[in-house]
Amino acid sequence: MPEIVVDKLSHTFGKGGVDALTVLKDIDLTFESGSFNAIIGTSGCGKSTLLKMMAGLFDPTDGEMRLDGEIIKGTNQRRGMVFQQDAVFPWMTVAKNISYGPRLRGASKDEQREIEAKWTEMVGLKGFEDRWPRELSGGMRKRVDIGRVYANDPDVLLMDEPFGALDAQTKERMQSDLLNTWRQTRKTVVFVTHDIEEAIFLSDRIVVMSARPGRVHHIEEVSLPRPREDEMRLTEEFLAIKRRLWAMLDH
Ligand SMILES: Nc1ncnc2c1ncn2[C@@H]1O[C@H](COP(=O)(O)OP(=O)(O)OP(=O)(O)O)[C@@H](O)[C@H]1O
Ligand SMILES: [Mg+2]
């Protein structure tokens, strides 16, 4: 069964007249259960808006989204979101940030400790459990964000340019880490990025959106084998996809 269905979705901010801004128009998409999907498109085409609606932060003005046939309404633990901006709690240690969701839901001390150990390790922060966010680099804070969302064990992982602000090397390492984690958990991922290479390296499918109002311009199926290795970025197949997508984004 397909996991997420976006059905004739449109969204307009503001009400009528000069204030109305149609950001998304007639979007139809299906994200298969357990697949890794990227969304690319120029700045302002509505990528974050689409992702926030999938998270249930607000409703579309037209159309709907369904998760396993159930209309998405309001936020839910099943759908976890890593925001474009850093969202760690500065007043909590790394471990406490990561176990925040389970703690809210009444996990016992033992369960919390288990979750903290598992996810700090998974996001490569073992040894930093008792550090404060201010003691971490930007990339490490982003990993805390990701670990916290993972610790909630959502079925759907919504990621909005999570590696956007990182240097190329850190970014590549985190992409590989993310793929390793995804291989072990097989969540349905929707990953927004500006970065064509990142989209190809990570995804099964790439949705290319056109400029505002955002529409689905093209869907690229990426059939590169998995596990993905860094060397693949230089293969002819990879570069051919990159050239094709780059030409699309250029207009
Ligand atoms: N809450 C809001 N109220 C009014 N307009 C909004 C709101 N949120 C976003 N917009 C507008 O909607 C458009 C799409 O914004 P969105 O953040 O979805 O773009 P994006 O594709 O994520 O861009 P970027 O790649 O720069 O992150 C922009 O023109 C933005 O100004
Ligand atoms: Mg955005």
Side-chain angles (χ1 to χ4, degrees):
M1 183 180 212
E3 186 86 69
I4 308 171
V5 174
V6 179
D7 193 0
K8 297 187 194 62
L9 179 138
S10 298
H11 192 72
T12 301
F13 284 114
K15 290 210 191 331
V18 287
D19 285 343
L21 180 71
T22 298
V23 174
L24 296 166
K25 190 86 189 138
D26 297 327
I27 309 271
D28 285 314
L29 285 169
T30 299
F31 299 112
E32 304 268 327
S33 175
S35 64
F36 201 119
N37 308 273
I39 301 179
I40 60 174
T42 48
S43 183
C45 74
K47 303 181 296 298
S48 294
T49 303
L50 186 63
L51 214 61
K52 285 178 190 163
M53 286 193 285
M54 279 189 212
L57 292 168
F58 51 88
D59 294 334
T61 43
D62 277 298
E64 62 186 34
M65 297 184 169
R66 296 185 294 273
L67 179 60
D68 279 343
E70 215 171 285
I71 293 178
I72 292 176
K73 207 152 180 57
T75 55
N76 183 308
Q77 194 199 322
R78 289 186 70 191
R79 289 170 270 118
M81 177 144 174
V82 178
F83 288 91
Q84 199 164 354
Q85 294 84 8
D86 198 344
V88 294
F89 297 129
W91 59 89
M92 286 181 200
T93 61
V94 167
K96 295 298 166 207
N97 259 287
I98 283 179
S99 58
Y100 174 73
R103 192 162 54 253
L104 268 193
R105 291 190 300 279
S108 70
K109 285 267 184 286
D110 280 353
E111 285 165 338
Q112 288 178 44
R113 264 195 295 275
E114 201 177 303
I115 285 166
E116 288 164 7
K118 176 176 174 186
W119 293 109
T120 44
E121 168 141 35
M122 201 76 123
V123 296
L125 289 174
K126 200 170 156 60
F128 291 89
E129 290 84 349
D130 299 326
R131 298 293 187 96
W132 297 93
R134 64 171 178 275
E135 300 176 288
L136 306 178
S137 71
M140 291 163 89
R141 273 201 301 274
K142 209 68 233 181
R143 286 192 245 178
V144 176
D145 261 351
I146 293 168
R148 189 175 52 183
V149 172
Y150 265 121
N152 278 327
D153 198 25
D155 302 329
V156 175
L157 193 55
L158 307 167
M159 305 181 88
D160 196 355
E161 304 198 39
F163 309 146
L166 305 178
D167 65 90
Q169 232 177 337
T170 309
K171 194 174 188 173
E172 287 183 14
R173 197 175 58 239
M174 293 195 51
Q175 289 166 356
S176 296
D177 288 352
L178 174 61
L179 283 186
N180 284 336
T181 312
W182 174 71
R183 201 168 55 229
Q184 291 168 50
T185 56
R186 280 292 172 163
K187 298 179 187 309
T188 306
V189 182
V190 184
F191 188 105
V192 167
T193 179
H194 273 120
D195 181 335
I196 298 176
E197 180 171 323
E198 177 169 69
I200 302 168
F201 185 72
L202 296 172
S203 312
D204 298 315
R205 313 168 72 223
I206 302 172
V207 177
V208 182
M209 287 177 58
S210 58
R212 211 174 53 226
R215 297 171 192 264
V216 176
H217 175 65
H218 172 78
I219 293 177
E220 181 80 24
E221 303 284 343
V222 182
S223 53
L224 296 166
R226 295 188 185 272
R228 304 264 164 94
E229 309 286 351
D230 272 327
E231 297 71 42
M232 281 181 192
R233 299 172 193 266
L234 300 171
T235 61
E236 205 33 62
E237 193 183 353
F238 193 104
L239 294 173
I241 301 172
K242 191 170 173 179
R243 271 194 292 274
R244 191 158 56 239
L245 296 181
W246 182 82
M248 275 176 212
L249 280 189
D250 212 18
H251 316 294

